Amino acid sequence: MSLTRRTFLMTVSALGVLGSVSSVAMAADLPPLAKKDTYKVGFAQTESNNPWRIAQTESMKAEAAKLGYQFVYTDAAGSAAKQVADVNSMIAQGVDLIFLAPREEKPLIPAVLAAKKAGIPVILLDRSVDPKLAVAGKDYVTFIGSDFVEEGKRVAEWLVKNANGKTKIIELEGTTGSSPANDRKKGFDEAIKAAGGFEIVASQSGDFARDKGRQVAEALLQAHPDANVIYAHNDEMALGAIAALEAAGKKPGTDVLVLSIDGGKEAVQAIVDGKIGAVVECNPRFGPIAYETLKRYAGGDKIEAWVKNKDKFYDTSNAAAEVSGAY
Ligand code: GZL
């Protein structure tokens, strides 16, 4: 006879053993977070290979210090496997909550589920995980981050308005398998296709890194000498592409339009210098919103599945005035 789950729970509660069984029921739910004056929080960072990562880490550290929280920090140095191990080490240290910026959407699922099993809530920062494998409100508290599809779409919308006949695009993709790379590609490619009249002649990962971005841009520019637009999924690769263009004797911003996402000071200055056309910001300063969300969760609030960051937009209309405020 197959017992329904409800019947089973009613039966065992009658036997007065609900405590142990309800933990089974609880396993389907998010681990709670007690309301306390201070916390021991973990932040499992993916890597520190660019100003964006460094700004994000600094913001998380500074806000924890301001609140007097104990801050356990790890840096996976670009390895998803190490990031899983880092989360497991935080679980072993008994942190109260883990902030995780999952390097890629699938490999970090075991870390998210291990924390849940250990009764430690996870808040995803900046990058998300495969929604087919883990979901907000059940496996982790929430995802705090930008709308990467919208970021890609905003770049495309600027290009459609400002192309002036430049329509052959090289796309430099971010880290393969990461949510920003997947979604910035989706947002841009779909909007460009809908506009008509443009062609993405090549699209390849530069792993969000400046030197890899330069190398990939060099190779793709040689293979596609008619390319006259470069869309980079982040500033580091855009700045690498500018170096590649100048090495090839081409004027970035004049011969070839360069477009980017992140909004770091160097890229915004490149707009002022006429080398980049537009940059959609991807705000790295997560500290305030991250800890505010922790406190809301501890206070019993129902946290929305996605706490969306607002992103600025920079082009020649505002770059000079706003470059000093860029991260
Ligand atoms: C975006 C973040 C990306 C940045 C890159 O939220 O994950 O990772 O756009 C960084 O600069 O490496």
PDB file of all heavy atoms in Angstrom, residues 53 101-107 124-131 143-149 151 174-187 208 233:
ATOM      1  N   ARG A  53      35.799  42.115 -10.573  1.00  0.00           N
ATOM      2  CA  ARG A  53      35.822  41.128  -9.482  1.00  0.00           C
ATOM      3  C   ARG A  53      36.352  41.781  -8.209  1.00  0.00           C
ATOM      4  O   ARG A  53      35.854  41.577  -7.114  1.00  0.00           O
ATOM      5  CB  ARG A  53      36.708  39.949  -9.876  1.00  0.00           C
ATOM      6  CG  ARG A  53      36.114  39.082 -10.940  1.00  0.00           C
ATOM      7  CD  ARG A  53      35.085  38.122 -10.369  1.00  0.00           C
ATOM      8  NE  ARG A  53      33.983  37.953 -11.312  1.00  0.00           N
ATOM      9  CZ  ARG A  53      32.760  37.617 -10.944  1.00  0.00           C
ATOM     10  NH1 ARG A  53      32.476  37.438  -9.682  1.00  0.00           N
ATOM     11  NH2 ARG A  53      31.804  37.519 -11.829  1.00  0.00           N
ATOM     12  N   ALA A 101      29.108  33.496  -5.914  1.00  0.00           N
ATOM     13  CA  ALA A 101      29.057  34.012  -7.298  1.00  0.00           C
ATOM     14  C   ALA A 101      29.453  32.853  -8.197  1.00  0.00           C
ATOM     15  O   ALA A 101      30.632  32.687  -8.516  1.00  0.00           O
ATOM     16  CB  ALA A 101      30.028  35.176  -7.457  1.00  0.00           C
ATOM     17  N   PRO A 102      28.518  31.982  -8.581  1.00  0.00           N
ATOM     18  CA  PRO A 102      28.868  30.726  -9.271  1.00  0.00           C
ATOM     19  C   PRO A 102      29.538  30.994 -10.617  1.00  0.00           C
ATOM     20  O   PRO A 102      28.972  31.667 -11.473  1.00  0.00           O
ATOM     21  CB  PRO A 102      27.519  30.023  -9.454  1.00  0.00           C
ATOM     22  CG  PRO A 102      26.489  31.080  -9.306  1.00  0.00           C
ATOM     23  CD  PRO A 102      27.068  32.147  -8.432  1.00  0.00           C
ATOM     24  N   ARG A 103      30.758  30.446 -10.776  1.00  0.00           N
ATOM     25  CA  ARG A 103      31.526  30.760 -11.985  1.00  0.00           C
ATOM     26  C   ARG A 103      30.764  30.313 -13.237  1.00  0.00           C
ATOM     27  O   ARG A 103      30.748  31.004 -14.247  1.00  0.00           O
ATOM     28  CB  ARG A 103      32.896  30.069 -11.945  1.00  0.00           C
ATOM     29  CG  ARG A 103      33.787  30.492 -13.096  1.00  0.00           C
ATOM     30  CD  ARG A 103      35.235  30.036 -12.944  1.00  0.00           C
ATOM     31  NE  ARG A 103      36.075  30.722 -13.905  1.00  0.00           N
ATOM     32  CZ  ARG A 103      36.264  30.312 -15.149  1.00  0.00           C
ATOM     33  NH1 ARG A 103      35.649  29.217 -15.571  1.00  0.00           N
ATOM     34  NH2 ARG A 103      37.035  30.992 -15.980  1.00  0.00           N
ATOM     35  N   GLU A 104      30.184  29.108 -13.165  1.00  0.00           N
ATOM     36  CA  GLU A 104      29.417  28.602 -14.312  1.00  0.00           C
ATOM     37  C   GLU A 104      28.086  28.039 -13.822  1.00  0.00           C
ATOM     38  O   GLU A 104      27.973  27.649 -12.637  1.00  0.00           O
ATOM     39  CB  GLU A 104      30.216  27.500 -15.035  1.00  0.00           C
ATOM     40  CG  GLU A 104      31.532  28.001 -15.623  1.00  0.00           C
ATOM     41  CD  GLU A 104      32.613  26.945 -15.569  1.00  0.00           C
ATOM     42  OE1 GLU A 104      32.345  25.833 -16.054  1.00  0.00           O
ATOM     43  OE2 GLU A 104      33.694  27.200 -15.018  1.00  0.00           O
ATOM     44  N   GLU A 105      27.102  27.958 -14.710  1.00  0.00           N
ATOM     45  CA  GLU A 105      25.722  27.646 -14.295  1.00  0.00           C
ATOM     46  C   GLU A 105      25.541  26.222 -13.772  1.00  0.00           C
ATOM     47  O   GLU A 105      24.743  25.982 -12.879  1.00  0.00           O
ATOM     48  CB  GLU A 105      24.774  27.849 -15.494  1.00  0.00           C
ATOM     49  CG  GLU A 105      24.591  29.298 -15.852  1.00  0.00           C
ATOM     50  CD  GLU A 105      23.466  29.485 -16.858  1.00  0.00           C
ATOM     51  OE1 GLU A 105      23.069  28.505 -17.496  1.00  0.00           O
ATOM     52  OE2 GLU A 105      22.982  30.615 -16.981  1.00  0.00           O
ATOM     53  N   LYS A 106      26.279  25.240 -14.321  1.00  0.00           N
ATOM     54  CA  LYS A 106      26.021  23.845 -13.911  1.00  0.00           C
ATOM     55  C   LYS A 106      26.982  23.325 -12.845  1.00  0.00           C
ATOM     56  O   LYS A 106      26.545  22.736 -11.845  1.00  0.00           O
ATOM     57  CB  LYS A 106      26.039  22.916 -15.135  1.00  0.00           C
ATOM     58  CG  LYS A 106      24.841  23.110 -16.083  1.00  0.00           C
ATOM     59  CD  LYS A 106      24.864  22.112 -17.216  1.00  0.00           C
ATOM     60  CE  LYS A 106      23.574  22.105 -18.018  1.00  0.00           C
ATOM     61  NZ  LYS A 106      23.251  23.422 -18.616  1.00  0.00           N
ATOM     62  N   PRO A 107      28.313  23.529 -12.978  1.00  0.00           N
ATOM     63  CA  PRO A 107      29.255  22.883 -12.026  1.00  0.00           C
ATOM     64  C   PRO A 107      29.043  23.289 -10.565  1.00  0.00           C
ATOM     65  O   PRO A 107      29.507  22.591  -9.663  1.00  0.00           O
ATOM     66  CB  PRO A 107      30.631  23.335 -12.535  1.00  0.00           C
ATOM     67  CG  PRO A 107      30.416  23.758 -13.939  1.00  0.00           C
ATOM     68  CD  PRO A 107      29.010  24.259 -14.027  1.00  0.00           C
ATOM     69  N   LEU A 124      22.807  33.747  -4.096  1.00  0.00           N
ATOM     70  CA  LEU A 124      23.651  33.847  -5.301  1.00  0.00           C
ATOM     71  C   LEU A 124      23.859  35.313  -5.633  1.00  0.00           C
ATOM     72  O   LEU A 124      22.906  36.102  -5.644  1.00  0.00           O
ATOM     73  CB  LEU A 124      23.001  33.132  -6.489  1.00  0.00           C
ATOM     74  CG  LEU A 124      22.758  31.634  -6.337  1.00  0.00           C
ATOM     75  CD1 LEU A 124      22.199  31.073  -7.643  1.00  0.00           C
ATOM     76  CD2 LEU A 124      24.024  30.892  -5.930  1.00  0.00           C
ATOM     77  N   LEU A 125      25.111  35.683  -5.874  1.00  0.00           N
ATOM     78  CA  LEU A 125      25.453  37.056  -6.254  1.00  0.00           C
ATOM     79  C   LEU A 125      25.973  37.072  -7.679  1.00  0.00           C
ATOM     80  O   LEU A 125      26.813  36.231  -8.036  1.00  0.00           O
ATOM     81  CB  LEU A 125      26.577  37.603  -5.355  1.00  0.00           C
ATOM     82  CG  LEU A 125      26.320  37.804  -3.876  1.00  0.00           C
ATOM     83  CD1 LEU A 125      27.523  38.513  -3.266  1.00  0.00           C
ATOM     84  CD2 LEU A 125      25.044  38.584  -3.617  1.00  0.00           C
ATOM     85  N   ASP A 126      25.467  37.985  -8.513  1.00  0.00           N
ATOM     86  CA  ASP A 126      26.105  38.356  -9.767  1.00  0.00           C
ATOM     87  C   ASP A 126      25.939  37.333 -10.874  1.00  0.00           C
ATOM     88  O   ASP A 126      25.692  37.681 -12.018  1.00  0.00           O
ATOM     89  CB  ASP A 126      27.570  38.738  -9.472  1.00  0.00           C
ATOM     90  CG  ASP A 126      28.574  38.170 -10.430  1.00  0.00           C
ATOM     91  OD1 ASP A 126      28.389  38.390 -11.632  1.00  0.00           O
ATOM     92  OD2 ASP A 126      29.545  37.537  -9.981  1.00  0.00           O
ATOM     93  N   ARG A 127      26.091  36.056 -10.597  1.00  0.00           N
ATOM     94  CA  ARG A 127      25.851  35.026 -11.601  1.00  0.00           C
ATOM     95  C   ARG A 127      24.894  33.992 -11.013  1.00  0.00           C
ATOM     96  O   ARG A 127      24.863  33.807  -9.805  1.00  0.00           O
ATOM     97  CB  ARG A 127      27.156  34.314 -12.000  1.00  0.00           C
ATOM     98  CG  ARG A 127      28.147  35.235 -12.671  1.00  0.00           C
ATOM     99  CD  ARG A 127      29.352  34.482 -13.213  1.00  0.00           C
ATOM    100  NE  ARG A 127      30.327  35.413 -13.760  1.00  0.00           N
ATOM    101  CZ  ARG A 127      31.505  35.059 -14.267  1.00  0.00           C
ATOM    102  NH1 ARG A 127      31.851  33.785 -14.270  1.00  0.00           N
ATOM    103  NH2 ARG A 127      32.337  35.956 -14.733  1.00  0.00           N
ATOM    104  N   SER A 128      24.161  33.327 -11.906  1.00  0.00           N
ATOM    105  CA  SER A 128      23.165  32.391 -11.395  1.00  0.00           C
ATOM    106  C   SER A 128      23.522  30.952 -11.787  1.00  0.00           C
ATOM    107  O   SER A 128      24.579  30.692 -12.377  1.00  0.00           O
ATOM    108  CB  SER A 128      21.789  32.784 -11.935  1.00  0.00           C
ATOM    109  OG  SER A 128      20.792  32.140 -11.166  1.00  0.00           O
ATOM    110  N   VAL A 129      22.634  30.038 -11.420  1.00  0.00           N
ATOM    111  CA  VAL A 129      22.854  28.626 -11.731  1.00  0.00           C
ATOM    112  C   VAL A 129      21.736  28.143 -12.659  1.00  0.00           C
ATOM    113  O   VAL A 129      20.722  28.829 -12.822  1.00  0.00           O
ATOM    114  CB  VAL A 129      22.907  27.753 -10.450  1.00  0.00           C
ATOM    115  CG1 VAL A 129      24.128  28.101  -9.610  1.00  0.00           C
ATOM    116  CG2 VAL A 129      21.617  27.890  -9.647  1.00  0.00           C
ATOM    117  N   ASP A 130      21.898  26.980 -13.236  1.00  0.00           N
ATOM    118  CA  ASP A 130      20.918  26.440 -14.175  1.00  0.00           C
ATOM    119  C   ASP A 130      19.567  26.240 -13.485  1.00  0.00           C
ATOM    120  O   ASP A 130      19.461  25.421 -12.566  1.00  0.00           O
ATOM    121  CB  ASP A 130      21.442  25.100 -14.716  1.00  0.00           C
ATOM    122  CG  ASP A 130      20.542  24.565 -15.815  1.00  0.00           C
ATOM    123  OD1 ASP A 130      19.334  24.864 -15.787  1.00  0.00           O
ATOM    124  OD2 ASP A 130      21.049  23.842 -16.684  1.00  0.00           O
ATOM    125  N   PRO A 131      18.531  27.005 -13.904  1.00  0.00           N
ATOM    126  CA  PRO A 131      17.228  26.925 -13.220  1.00  0.00           C
ATOM    127  C   PRO A 131      16.557  25.556 -13.353  1.00  0.00           C
ATOM    128  O   PRO A 131      15.635  25.248 -12.599  1.00  0.00           O
ATOM    129  CB  PRO A 131      16.397  28.000 -13.924  1.00  0.00           C
ATOM    130  CG  PRO A 131      17.078  28.267 -15.220  1.00  0.00           C
ATOM    131  CD  PRO A 131      18.530  27.948 -15.024  1.00  0.00           C
ATOM    132  N   PHE A 143      18.615  35.178  -6.170  1.00  0.00           N
ATOM    133  CA  PHE A 143      19.729  35.630  -7.024  1.00  0.00           C
ATOM    134  C   PHE A 143      19.722  37.147  -7.016  1.00  0.00           C
ATOM    135  O   PHE A 143      18.680  37.771  -7.329  1.00  0.00           O
ATOM    136  CB  PHE A 143      19.562  35.107  -8.455  1.00  0.00           C
ATOM    137  CG  PHE A 143      20.413  35.843  -9.471  1.00  0.00           C
ATOM    138  CD1 PHE A 143      21.797  35.827  -9.383  1.00  0.00           C
ATOM    139  CD2 PHE A 143      19.818  36.581 -10.485  1.00  0.00           C
ATOM    140  CE1 PHE A 143      22.578  36.519 -10.294  1.00  0.00           C
ATOM    141  CE2 PHE A 143      20.596  37.287 -11.403  1.00  0.00           C
ATOM    142  CZ  PHE A 143      21.982  37.251 -11.303  1.00  0.00           C
ATOM    143  N   ILE A 144      20.846  37.727  -6.592  1.00  0.00           N
ATOM    144  CA  ILE A 144      20.974  39.196  -6.642  1.00  0.00           C
ATOM    145  C   ILE A 144      21.903  39.512  -7.814  1.00  0.00           C
ATOM    146  O   ILE A 144      23.046  39.055  -7.853  1.00  0.00           O
ATOM    147  CB  ILE A 144      21.605  39.756  -5.345  1.00  0.00           C
ATOM    148  CG1 ILE A 144      20.795  39.354  -4.122  1.00  0.00           C
ATOM    149  CG2 ILE A 144      21.711  41.292  -5.449  1.00  0.00           C
ATOM    150  CD1 ILE A 144      21.434  39.796  -2.791  1.00  0.00           C
ATOM    151  N   GLY A 145      21.391  40.213  -8.800  1.00  0.00           N
ATOM    152  CA  GLY A 145      22.272  40.527  -9.924  1.00  0.00           C
ATOM    153  C   GLY A 145      21.563  41.302 -11.010  1.00  0.00           C
ATOM    154  O   GLY A 145      20.368  41.596 -10.915  1.00  0.00           O
ATOM    155  N   SER A 146      22.331  41.619 -12.038  1.00  0.00           N
ATOM    156  CA  SER A 146      21.797  42.412 -13.154  1.00  0.00           C
ATOM    157  C   SER A 146      21.021  41.528 -14.115  1.00  0.00           C
ATOM    158  O   SER A 146      21.121  40.309 -14.087  1.00  0.00           O
ATOM    159  CB  SER A 146      22.972  43.066 -13.904  1.00  0.00           C
ATOM    160  OG  SER A 146      23.625  43.995 -13.064  1.00  0.00           O
ATOM    161  N   ASP A 147      20.310  42.210 -15.016  1.00  0.00           N
ATOM    162  CA  ASP A 147      19.590  41.508 -16.076  1.00  0.00           C
ATOM    163  C   ASP A 147      20.517  41.465 -17.291  1.00  0.00           C
ATOM    164  O   ASP A 147      20.612  42.436 -18.054  1.00  0.00           O
ATOM    165  CB  ASP A 147      18.304  42.287 -16.404  1.00  0.00           C
ATOM    166  CG  ASP A 147      17.465  41.570 -17.454  1.00  0.00           C
ATOM    167  OD1 ASP A 147      18.049  40.726 -18.180  1.00  0.00           O
ATOM    168  OD2 ASP A 147      16.252  41.833 -17.528  1.00  0.00           O
ATOM    169  N   PHE A 148      21.214  40.328 -17.450  1.00  0.00           N
ATOM    170  CA  PHE A 148      22.239  40.251 -18.499  1.00  0.00           C
ATOM    171  C   PHE A 148      21.620  40.264 -19.896  1.00  0.00           C
ATOM    172  O   PHE A 148      22.204  40.781 -20.843  1.00  0.00           O
ATOM    173  CB  PHE A 148      23.074  38.972 -18.315  1.00  0.00           C
ATOM    174  CG  PHE A 148      23.750  38.874 -16.982  1.00  0.00           C
ATOM    175  CD1 PHE A 148      23.654  37.719 -16.205  1.00  0.00           C
ATOM    176  CD2 PHE A 148      24.489  39.940 -16.479  1.00  0.00           C
ATOM    177  CE1 PHE A 148      24.284  37.629 -14.983  1.00  0.00           C
ATOM    178  CE2 PHE A 148      25.128  39.851 -15.248  1.00  0.00           C
ATOM    179  CZ  PHE A 148      25.021  38.690 -14.497  1.00  0.00           C
ATOM    180  N   VAL A 149      20.427  39.698 -20.022  1.00  0.00           N
ATOM    181  CA  VAL A 149      19.758  39.730 -21.336  1.00  0.00           C
ATOM    182  C   VAL A 149      19.496  41.188 -21.710  1.00  0.00           C
ATOM    183  O   VAL A 149      19.782  41.634 -22.830  1.00  0.00           O
ATOM    184  CB  VAL A 149      18.432  38.937 -21.306  1.00  0.00           C
ATOM    185  CG1 VAL A 149      17.651  39.115 -22.608  1.00  0.00           C
ATOM    186  CG2 VAL A 149      18.700  37.449 -21.045  1.00  0.00           C
ATOM    187  N   GLU A 151      21.112  43.781 -20.630  1.00  0.00           N
ATOM    188  CA  GLU A 151      22.391  44.450 -20.916  1.00  0.00           C
ATOM    189  C   GLU A 151      22.766  44.246 -22.381  1.00  0.00           C
ATOM    190  O   GLU A 151      23.119  45.206 -23.086  1.00  0.00           O
ATOM    191  CB  GLU A 151      23.487  43.882 -20.013  1.00  0.00           C
ATOM    192  CG  GLU A 151      23.366  44.271 -18.549  1.00  0.00           C
ATOM    193  CD  GLU A 151      24.398  43.586 -17.672  1.00  0.00           C
ATOM    194  OE1 GLU A 151      24.984  42.567 -18.097  1.00  0.00           O
ATOM    195  OE2 GLU A 151      24.634  44.060 -16.539  1.00  0.00           O
ATOM    196  N   GLY A 174      31.898  36.086 -22.977  1.00  0.00           N
ATOM    197  CA  GLY A 174      32.490  35.886 -21.657  1.00  0.00           C
ATOM    198  C   GLY A 174      32.780  34.418 -21.393  1.00  0.00           C
ATOM    199  O   GLY A 174      32.773  33.590 -22.305  1.00  0.00           O
ATOM    200  N   THR A 175      33.008  34.106 -20.113  1.00  0.00           N
ATOM    201  CA  THR A 175      33.367  32.748 -19.714  1.00  0.00           C
ATOM    202  C   THR A 175      32.322  31.737 -20.168  1.00  0.00           C
ATOM    203  O   THR A 175      31.135  31.899 -19.869  1.00  0.00           O
ATOM    204  CB  THR A 175      33.514  32.694 -18.179  1.00  0.00           C
ATOM    205  OG1 THR A 175      34.559  33.595 -17.797  1.00  0.00           O
ATOM    206  CG2 THR A 175      33.837  31.287 -17.683  1.00  0.00           C
ATOM    207  N   THR A 176      32.746  30.725 -20.898  1.00  0.00           N
ATOM    208  CA  THR A 176      31.821  29.720 -21.422  1.00  0.00           C
ATOM    209  C   THR A 176      31.039  29.049 -20.286  1.00  0.00           C
ATOM    210  O   THR A 176      31.630  28.632 -19.279  1.00  0.00           O
ATOM    211  CB  THR A 176      32.610  28.646 -22.201  1.00  0.00           C
ATOM    212  OG1 THR A 176      33.341  29.324 -23.236  1.00  0.00           O
ATOM    213  CG2 THR A 176      31.682  27.609 -22.820  1.00  0.00           C
ATOM    214  N   GLY A 177      29.703  29.029 -20.437  1.00  0.00           N
ATOM    215  CA  GLY A 177      28.877  28.367 -19.416  1.00  0.00           C
ATOM    216  C   GLY A 177      28.451  29.284 -18.289  1.00  0.00           C
ATOM    217  O   GLY A 177      27.676  28.882 -17.416  1.00  0.00           O
ATOM    218  N   SER A 178      28.926  30.527 -18.315  1.00  0.00           N
ATOM    219  CA  SER A 178      28.507  31.451 -17.237  1.00  0.00           C
ATOM    220  C   SER A 178      27.211  32.150 -17.643  1.00  0.00           C
ATOM    221  O   SER A 178      26.963  32.391 -18.834  1.00  0.00           O
ATOM    222  CB  SER A 178      29.600  32.494 -16.996  1.00  0.00           C
ATOM    223  OG  SER A 178      29.712  33.378 -18.101  1.00  0.00           O
ATOM    224  N   SER A 179      26.395  32.509 -16.651  1.00  0.00           N
ATOM    225  CA  SER A 179      25.104  33.133 -16.987  1.00  0.00           C
ATOM    226  C   SER A 179      25.289  34.490 -17.675  1.00  0.00           C
ATOM    227  O   SER A 179      24.548  34.779 -18.637  1.00  0.00           O
ATOM    228  CB  SER A 179      24.231  33.265 -15.730  1.00  0.00           C
ATOM    229  OG  SER A 179      24.895  33.962 -14.701  1.00  0.00           O
ATOM    230  N   PRO A 180      26.265  35.326 -17.285  1.00  0.00           N
ATOM    231  CA  PRO A 180      26.417  36.584 -18.032  1.00  0.00           C
ATOM    232  C   PRO A 180      26.796  36.356 -19.499  1.00  0.00           C
ATOM    233  O   PRO A 180      26.290  37.051 -20.384  1.00  0.00           O
ATOM    234  CB  PRO A 180      27.510  37.349 -17.288  1.00  0.00           C
ATOM    235  CG  PRO A 180      28.171  36.371 -16.402  1.00  0.00           C
ATOM    236  CD  PRO A 180      27.162  35.316 -16.107  1.00  0.00           C
ATOM    237  N   ALA A 181      27.630  35.376 -19.769  1.00  0.00           N
ATOM    238  CA  ALA A 181      27.994  35.127 -21.173  1.00  0.00           C
ATOM    239  C   ALA A 181      26.783  34.603 -21.947  1.00  0.00           C
ATOM    240  O   ALA A 181      26.463  35.091 -23.037  1.00  0.00           O
ATOM    241  CB  ALA A 181      29.148  34.128 -21.247  1.00  0.00           C
ATOM    242  N   ASN A 182      26.080  33.639 -21.382  1.00  0.00           N
ATOM    243  CA  ASN A 182      24.899  33.088 -22.060  1.00  0.00           C
ATOM    244  C   ASN A 182      23.863  34.178 -22.349  1.00  0.00           C
ATOM    245  O   ASN A 182      23.350  34.297 -23.454  1.00  0.00           O
ATOM    246  CB  ASN A 182      24.254  32.005 -21.192  1.00  0.00           C
ATOM    247  CG  ASN A 182      25.129  30.767 -21.052  1.00  0.00           C
ATOM    248  OD1 ASN A 182      26.015  30.520 -21.872  1.00  0.00           O
ATOM    249  ND2 ASN A 182      24.920  30.002 -19.983  1.00  0.00           N
ATOM    250  N   ASP A 183      23.594  34.996 -21.338  1.00  0.00           N
ATOM    251  CA  ASP A 183      22.469  35.933 -21.472  1.00  0.00           C
ATOM    252  C   ASP A 183      22.841  37.214 -22.214  1.00  0.00           C
ATOM    253  O   ASP A 183      21.997  37.802 -22.900  1.00  0.00           O
ATOM    254  CB  ASP A 183      21.888  36.264 -20.098  1.00  0.00           C
ATOM    255  CG  ASP A 183      21.189  35.042 -19.487  1.00  0.00           C
ATOM    256  OD1 ASP A 183      20.994  34.053 -20.218  1.00  0.00           O
ATOM    257  OD2 ASP A 183      20.869  35.079 -18.285  1.00  0.00           O
ATOM    258  N   ARG A 184      24.104  37.660 -22.074  1.00  0.00           N
ATOM    259  CA  ARG A 184      24.504  38.842 -22.863  1.00  0.00           C
ATOM    260  C   ARG A 184      24.513  38.501 -24.358  1.00  0.00           C
ATOM    261  O   ARG A 184      24.227  39.334 -25.204  1.00  0.00           O
ATOM    262  CB  ARG A 184      25.876  39.336 -22.397  1.00  0.00           C
ATOM    263  CG  ARG A 184      25.806  40.016 -21.057  1.00  0.00           C
ATOM    264  CD  ARG A 184      27.163  40.342 -20.464  1.00  0.00           C
ATOM    265  NE  ARG A 184      27.009  40.920 -19.139  1.00  0.00           N
ATOM    266  CZ  ARG A 184      27.984  41.102 -18.281  1.00  0.00           C
ATOM    267  NH1 ARG A 184      29.222  40.768 -18.584  1.00  0.00           N
ATOM    268  NH2 ARG A 184      27.759  41.623 -17.098  1.00  0.00           N
ATOM    269  N   LYS A 185      24.816  37.269 -24.665  1.00  0.00           N
ATOM    270  CA  LYS A 185      24.776  36.824 -26.066  1.00  0.00           C
ATOM    271  C   LYS A 185      23.329  36.768 -26.545  1.00  0.00           C
ATOM    272  O   LYS A 185      22.967  37.310 -27.588  1.00  0.00           O
ATOM    273  CB  LYS A 185      25.449  35.464 -26.224  1.00  0.00           C
ATOM    274  CG  LYS A 185      25.426  34.938 -27.663  1.00  0.00           C
ATOM    275  CD  LYS A 185      26.368  33.795 -27.887  1.00  0.00           C
ATOM    276  CE  LYS A 185      26.392  33.441 -29.371  1.00  0.00           C
ATOM    277  NZ  LYS A 185      26.877  34.601 -30.207  1.00  0.00           N
ATOM    278  N   LYS A 186      22.476  36.174 -25.695  1.00  0.00           N
ATOM    279  CA  LYS A 186      21.046  36.027 -26.054  1.00  0.00           C
ATOM    280  C   LYS A 186      20.426  37.402 -26.299  1.00  0.00           C
ATOM    281  O   LYS A 186      19.815  37.651 -27.334  1.00  0.00           O
ATOM    282  CB  LYS A 186      20.325  35.293 -24.923  1.00  0.00           C
ATOM    283  CG  LYS A 186      18.836  35.146 -25.076  1.00  0.00           C
ATOM    284  CD  LYS A 186      18.250  34.377 -23.869  1.00  0.00           C
ATOM    285  CE  LYS A 186      16.752  34.491 -23.768  1.00  0.00           C
ATOM    286  NZ  LYS A 186      16.009  33.976 -24.921  1.00  0.00           N
ATOM    287  N   GLY A 187      20.631  38.323 -25.355  1.00  0.00           N
ATOM    288  CA  GLY A 187      20.011  39.661 -25.462  1.00  0.00           C
ATOM    289  C   GLY A 187      20.476  40.411 -26.691  1.00  0.00           C
ATOM    290  O   GLY A 187      19.675  40.984 -27.440  1.00  0.00           O
ATOM    291  N   PHE A 208      36.263  36.594 -20.472  1.00  0.00           N
ATOM    292  CA  PHE A 208      36.161  37.834 -19.684  1.00  0.00           C
ATOM    293  C   PHE A 208      37.543  38.415 -19.349  1.00  0.00           C
ATOM    294  O   PHE A 208      37.653  39.285 -18.483  1.00  0.00           O
ATOM    295  CB  PHE A 208      35.418  37.614 -18.352  1.00  0.00           C
ATOM    296  CG  PHE A 208      33.925  37.537 -18.480  1.00  0.00           C
ATOM    297  CD1 PHE A 208      33.209  36.552 -17.805  1.00  0.00           C
ATOM    298  CD2 PHE A 208      33.210  38.454 -19.239  1.00  0.00           C
ATOM    299  CE1 PHE A 208      31.818  36.462 -17.889  1.00  0.00           C
ATOM    300  CE2 PHE A 208      31.817  38.385 -19.331  1.00  0.00           C
ATOM    301  CZ  PHE A 208      31.136  37.381 -18.658  1.00  0.00           C
ATOM    302  N   HIS A 233      31.626  41.171 -24.234  1.00  0.00           N
ATOM    303  CA  HIS A 233      30.731  40.938 -23.092  1.00  0.00           C
ATOM    304  C   HIS A 233      31.249  41.606 -21.815  1.00  0.00           C
ATOM    305  O   HIS A 233      30.537  41.596 -20.803  1.00  0.00           O
ATOM    306  CB  HIS A 233      30.561  39.440 -22.825  1.00  0.00           C
ATOM    307  CG  HIS A 233      29.712  38.747 -23.848  1.00  0.00           C
ATOM    308  ND1 HIS A 233      29.350  37.434 -23.724  1.00  0.00           N
ATOM    309  CD2 HIS A 233      29.182  39.159 -25.035  1.00  0.00           C
ATOM    310  CE1 HIS A 233      28.611  37.065 -24.779  1.00  0.00           C
ATOM    311  NE2 HIS A 233      28.506  38.093 -25.584  1.00  0.00           N
TER     312      HIS A 233
END
